[in-house]
Amino acid sequence: MSISLYYHPYSRAAGTVWALEEAGVPYDLKVIDIMKGDQKSAELISKNPMGKLPTLVDGDVVVTEASAIALYLADRYASGRLAPALDDPKRGTYLRWSFFAPSVIEPAVMAKGEDWKVKEVSAGWGNYASMLAAAESAIAGKRFVLGDEFSMADVVFGGTLRFMMAFNQIESRPDFKAYVGCLDERPAYQRAEAKNMAMRTELGLK
Ligand SMILES: N[C@@H](CCC(=O)N[C@@H](CS)C(=O)NCC(=O)O)C(=O)O
């Protein structure tokens, strides 16, 4: 069995490299030139009908959606290490903030940036201010989402905050900065960053 990640360093797949490094599994990167639109090739569409990155192929299994890929890797390859066991009550907090990232943070930021007119009571992401307050509550007084224990939830939730702050899409609140600073020190994150930077250089990107 081998793991392939359909990848471009300017995509969410860059964060998936961090998830793979944390899981500690061997993998190869299949570079897809999103500048040329290669994500819409028949090969990728046959795996991911959205024609988007990241797309992970693990043997016969295809997993898409950056957060799902990260949680899959943790459950399959690092259960009890990066993911609480299925009957561990900590799993509630783990899943809660892992799902919060793509289903609340991302659309709330997009809605604000694009000035979407939506009914807050119907929009699952509520509004930007309540999203920020909730995100802050997830890590207030803690090192990680689960307290002192790092987990894949931090790759998903923290990776989303890091990305949003880097592009000034959310304000860099002190709690967010301290939390992401702590994540940046992880050897797996640093290995992933080195790979992403090396790939950018190889592809002639900034
Ligand atoms: N819901 C997906 C979103 C994936 C996504 O939008 N990927 C972008 C790059 S970050 C992409 O592939 N864009 C190219 C396109 O849509 O053609 C996830 O969370 O993985």
Side-chain angles (χ1 to χ4, degrees):
M1 289 293 190
S2 65
I3 298 180
S4 295
L5 175 66
Y6 289 78
Y7 160 95
H8 188 278
Y10 283 177
S11 76
R12 287 168 173 82
T16 306
V17 174
W18 180 24
L20 284 158
E21 290 291 332
E22 291 287 358
V25 287
Y27 61 93
D28 68 274
L29 297 177
K30 293 198 182 300
V31 176
I32 298 294
D33 192 340
I34 47 174
M35 315 294 182
K36 286 198 193 142
D38 290 351
Q39 69 277 20
K40 307 301 182 200
S41 69
E43 187 203 344
L44 196 59
I45 293 278
S46 73
K47 296 179 170 52
N48 179 356
M50 293 291 285
K52 280 183 174 285
L53 306 176
T55 296
L56 184 108
V57 179
D58 181 8
D60 295 335
V61 180
V62 176
V63 193
T64 68
E65 310 314 310
S67 309
I69 294 170
L71 299 187
Y72 164 83
L73 291 170
D75 281 344
R76 178 142 193 217
Y77 297 107
S79 185
R81 176 166 63 87
L82 293 175
L86 289 180
D87 60 353
D88 185 332
K90 285 199 291 281
R91 205 161 165 93
T93 303
Y94 172 82
L95 291 174
R96 177 184 180 187
W97 299 110
S98 296
F99 278 75
F100 191 82
S103 59
V104 180
I105 302 177
E106 283 204 22
V109 165
M110 187 68 82
K112 177 170 179 279
E114 302 290 329
D115 202 18
W116 290 350
K117 302 287 177 226
V118 293
K119 285 194 181 129
E120 267 177 48
V121 289
S122 313
W125 58 88
N127 64 51
Y128 179 79
S130 55
M131 175 278 287
L132 274 187
E136 228 174 354
S137 78
I139 47 166
K142 298 191 226 165
R143 278 181 77 207
F144 302 115
V145 161
L146 294 182
D148 286 334
E149 184 187 335
F150 175 84
S151 71
M152 198 61 97
D154 297 298
V155 175
V156 176
F157 180 80
T160 302
L161 290 182
R162 179 195 289 111
F163 180 88
M164 299 293 181
M165 285 196 290
F167 290 95
N168 295 318
Q169 292 175 320
I170 59 171
E171 56 198 75
S172 294
R173 294 194 171 177
D175 280 355
F176 293 160
K177 274 172 76 172
Y179 168 60
V180 169
C182 196
L183 299 178
D184 287 352
E185 287 170 15
R186 293 191 62 79
Y189 174 72
Q190 292 176 4
R191 285 196 301 278
E193 264 309 277
K195 284 197 179 186
N196 289 325
M197 292 306 286
M199 191 60 84
R200 281 159 67 158
T201 304
E202 196 178 316
L203 297 174
L205 303 167
K206 281 193 216 156

